[in-house]
Amino acid sequence: NNAVKIDILQPTDEFEPIQRAAWSKCVDCIIILVIIMISTILVGTAEPNKQFIPEYDTQQNYNFAYPDVTSSVGGSDLGMAMFLPWFLLFILNIILFKMYDTQFNWNDIRRNLWLIVRMYHFSIAIALIVTMVIKLFVGAPRPNFFAIQHKYEDGDIWISDSRQSFPSGHASLSMSVLGLLTIMFYQSWIYSQSEQYEMGKKLGKCCNPYQYYLADFWYLLREVPLLAMLFIFAPIYVALYCGLSRIVDYKHSRTDVVAGELLGVISAYIAYLV
């Protein structure tokens, strides 16, 4: 038994993922693409439920009489906040692997990058489709509902959008990918505190998926775990800002943002498990 245990702990195949057929990975991509396409179609064509609004005719319901102000975090800003951390992290990894990995291998990088890309987009796809279905089904008016009605004409996309307050798409989408990044950072931190980290040094960094999430950096911070946690949860801070800005800009209520953040966390965790 001892011999078997020692053999299992040897870092020969520790970081070798279970090999899947190429067609199964293509199926993953097709599923993700279909989900995103359905979500996009819903955004452009489906009409939300027209929830009853008290004092609609007189527009004296002050819950929906907030001004229409410019968004602090616009659509392009949201996209950058979601994409840039992952992109910069990958570029940093390539530089570090090139400098310090004696077993640098582009095939290992390609394989791990392909996994990261699928996981990233799957998390977005889950958050996007669920958010859109709930938005259309509930049809909750935004806090600036009356201002939108005055500003745009019937048939404009923003008129439909003014009834899609719950849940917040900014909150769910930002948390889906930035929450996922925090989960991966945390798993890498756990790995860096274990004996497996020392064993993993015998292998190349490129083939070790934990190294793609700053395992060496977390190892350096092993004596100051609270400081490490501050860095690990940094993506969450950005996602929270994206969500909270929607309250400040009168685009969503507090309930909308909290629901969106929770939906994003669930999407991130599902993507991590899958």
Side-chain angles (χ1 to χ4, degrees), residues 131-183:
T131 297
M132 286 309 306
V133 169
I134 296 176
K135 277 178 176 288
L136 296 171
F137 180 78
V138 175
R142 296 181 183 272
N144 61 356
F145 177 78
F146 291 138
I148 296 296
Q149 298 296 311
H150 283 299
K151 189 173 182 179
Y152 299 97
E153 298 180 356
D154 290 340
D156 193 284
I157 189 173
W158 296 111
I159 296 294
S160 174
D161 183 71
S162 67
R163 288 185 177 271
Q164 299 181 32
S165 184
F166 181 88
S168 169
H170 274 62
S172 64
L173 291 176
S174 61
M175 187 61 76
S176 68
V177 294
L178 297 176
L180 176 62
L181 186 55
T182 289
I183 291 174

Side-chain angles (χ1 to χ4, degrees), residues 53-273:
I53 302 175
E55 305 292 340
Y56 175 79
D57 293 331
T58 61
Q59 298 191 0
Q60 295 300 309
N61 189 333
Y62 297 109
N63 291 321
F64 310 111
Y66 289 91
D68 181 34
V69 301
T70 304
S71 297
S72 301
V73 180
S76 58
D77 299 325
L78 177 65
M80 289 296 292
M82 294 167 59
F83 172 75
L84 199 58
W86 288 86
F87 176 75
L88 293 178
L89 178 64
F90 181 72
I91 295 299
L92 176 63
N93 282 323
I94 295 297
I95 295 174
L96 293 177
F97 293 164
K98 271 284 191 180
M99 293 175 61
Y100 300 110
D101 189 2
T102 57
Q103 303 180 47
F104 184 87
N105 189 320
W106 281 110
N107 287 330
D108 289 332
I109 291 177
R110 177 186 55 79
R111 184 182 63 199
N112 280 283
L113 175 62
W114 185 229
L115 175 62
I116 292 170
V117 168
R118 297 202 313 274
M119 182 171 60
Y120 174 94
H121 285 93
F122 185 54
S123 185
I124 292 178
I126 296 172
L128 185 60
I129 187 68
V130 175
T131 297
M132 286 309 306
V133 169
I134 296 176
K135 277 178 176 288
L136 296 171
F137 180 78
V138 175
R142 296 181 183 272
N144 61 356
F145 177 78
F146 291 138
I148 296 296
Q149 298 296 311
H150 283 299
K151 189 173 182 179
Y152 299 97
E153 298 180 356
D154 290 340
D156 193 284
I157 189 173
W158 296 111
I159 296 294
S160 174
D161 183 71
S162 67
R163 288 185 177 271
Q164 299 181 32
S165 184
F166 181 88
S168 169
H170 274 62
S172 64
L173 291 176
S174 61
M175 187 61 76
S176 68
V177 294
L178 297 176
L180 176 62
L181 186 55
T182 289
I183 291 174
M184 301 311 296
F185 279 161
Y186 182 71
Q187 292 300 319
S188 181
W189 175 79
I190 292 177
Y191 160 78
S192 70
Q193 312 303 305
S194 67
E195 294 181 358
Q196 291 180 348
Y197 176 80
E198 295 295 337
M199 297 179 182
K201 289 181 178 180
K202 301 177 182 179
L203 298 174
K205 296 179 183 294
C206 295
C207 65
N208 183 345
Y210 293 109
Q211 290 290 349
Y212 289 80
Y213 302 99
L214 308 180
D216 290 339
F217 179 64
W218 309 131
Y219 180 76
L220 293 175
L221 297 180
R222 63 190 179 279
E223 300 296 340
V224 281
L226 294 182
L227 180 60
M229 288 299 115
L230 289 176
F231 285 112
I232 288 171
F233 281 88
I236 294 287
Y237 310 150
V238 178
L240 288 174
Y241 172 76
C242 291
L244 293 175
S245 71
R246 305 300 281 174
I247 300 175
V248 176
D249 298 335
Y250 311 122
K251 308 297 184 184
H252 290 282
S253 67
R254 289 164 292 184
T255 306
D256 302 336
V257 171
V258 170
E261 301 286 9
L262 290 175
L263 179 57
V265 169
I266 294 172
S267 301
Y269 190 64
I270 292 175
Y272 161 70
L273 292 178

